[in-house]
Amino acid sequence: QKNSCVLPEDLKNFYLMTDGFQMTWSVKTDDTPMPLGSMVINSVSKLCRLGGSSMYTLPSAPTLADLEDDTDEEGNGDKPEKPHFDSRSLIFELDACNGNGKVCLVYKHAEPVVSPDTEIWFLDRALYWHFLTKTFTAYYRLLITHLGLPQWQYAFTSYGVSPQAKQWFNMYKPITINTALLSEEADSFVNKLDPNKVFKSKNKTPVLKKKPPSQPPGSQKSHTSMTSAKTSSLAGNSSRK
């Protein structure tokens, strides 16, 4: 009511379920947890408008609209028209990105009346705009897919993420950071494991254990008869004596 605009249906349904969203996760380095991922959607009370007030409390201080660069070509080719900090657009902050920029909900056509069509844009620290998605639902999926890794929004800019952030991407989201390689070589990330080779049984030569030579039954009988004969002869000799 204050800004004479209506939330998009998907974002409205999101706020009806929960008043904002924040999730962080950490990694262990030397048995010490270090915060790494952060996924944030501001609550309704923190859905602040950008560009409507001065950045400083000094009199005649410049606003974001005064700092806007109008020299960029807009709406050329497939590139969407960029938002404006003046009255032509309404911009609300969804995520402060830990100081790395701002993810914004943008009503690009606010004159003469606010259009219900919205888009999600990323404003970097140099105040350049980068298009993310057309709907909040699509942005929410991006947020979850990128695990809230540091500076993940810069993957959608022309200059990309920083080298430090790229290391975290290579560890946790290698396919995302190597999209160019994936488009060039479709099979580069396909599992090429051949189960026939992995589970192939090797023909091992059986080791034969040597057994002691067994005597034939006839020799055992002859040996037994010889022993009994010797025993009887010895008995006969003792009786003669």
Side-chain angles (χ1 to χ4, degrees):
Q1 295 178 354
K2 179 181 177 181
N3 297 283
S4 302
C5 60
V6 179
L7 287 175
E9 195 65 24
D10 53 358
L11 183 56
K12 179 182 177 181
N13 293 333
F14 175 81
Y15 280 127
L16 287 174
M17 291 187 297
T18 175
D19 187 15
F21 169 75
Q22 181 175 5
M23 178 179 177
T24 58
W25 57 277
S26 307
V27 294
K28 260 191 176 181
T29 55
D30 296 332
D31 294 331
T32 303
M34 182 186 72
L36 182 62
S38 176
M39 294 173 273
V40 176
I41 302 294
N42 283 342
S43 62
V44 176
S45 60
K46 294 182 179 179
L47 206 60
C48 303
R49 182 181 173 184
L50 297 183
S53 60
S54 175
M55 296 185 300
Y56 307 100
T57 57
L58 298 174
S60 302
T63 63
L64 287 174
D66 297 326
L67 301 177
E68 185 175 0
D69 187 7
D70 291 330
T71 59
D72 294 341
E73 297 180 358
E74 298 179 351
N76 292 338
D78 297 332
K79 295 182 180 180
E81 181 184 355
K82 295 181 180 180
H84 300 280
F85 291 114
D86 55 19
S87 58
R88 288 175 288 178
S89 302
L90 286 179
I91 305 168
F92 298 93
E93 179 185 318
L94 287 175
D95 182 10
C97 305
N98 293 324
N100 293 314
K102 294 181 184 296
V103 174
C104 301
L105 174 71
V106 177
Y107 296 80
K108 289 198 299 183
H109 304 289
E111 292 181 345
V113 294
V114 180
S115 171
D117 298 329
T118 59
E119 293 175 345
I120 308 297
W121 286 73
F122 174 63
L123 179 66
D124 65 18
R125 298 181 64 179
L127 300 182
Y128 286 104
W129 287 105
H130 308 276
F131 176 76
L132 292 179
T133 62
K134 282 188 170 294
T135 63
F136 170 77
T137 302
Y139 168 73
Y140 189 75
R141 290 172 179 169
L142 277 182
L143 175 65
I144 301 299
T145 302
H146 288 80
L147 306 176
L149 288 170
Q151 305 175 17
W152 70 266
Q153 296 88 354
Y154 282 88
F156 296 87
T157 66
S158 57
Y159 30 87
V161 300
S162 66
Q164 182 179 4
K166 189 176 291 186
Q167 293 181 359
W168 293 117
F169 269 87
N170 287 329
M171 183 176 297
Y172 293 103
K173 291 293 293 180
I175 296 180
T176 303
I177 202 63
N178 293 289
T179 51
L181 179 61
L182 183 61
S183 60
E184 292 174 3
E185 301 179 11
D187 297 333
S188 57
F189 291 100
V190 176
N191 190 353
K192 298 181 180 180
L193 183 66
D194 187 357
N196 295 325
K197 292 183 179 180
V198 173
F199 300 104
K200 185 179 180 180
S201 59
K202 296 181 180 180
N203 296 326
K204 295 182 179 180
T205 305
V207 179
L208 299 177
K209 295 182 179 180
K210 293 183 179 180
K211 295 182 179 180
S214 56
Q215 296 180 354
S219 61
Q220 290 181 358
K221 290 181 179 179
S222 60
H223 178 72
T224 304
S225 59
M226 290 175 61
T227 304
S228 57
K230 288 182 179 180
T231 305
S232 57
S233 62
L234 290 173
N237 293 334
S238 58
S239 61
R240 287 176 185 175
K241 291 179 180 179

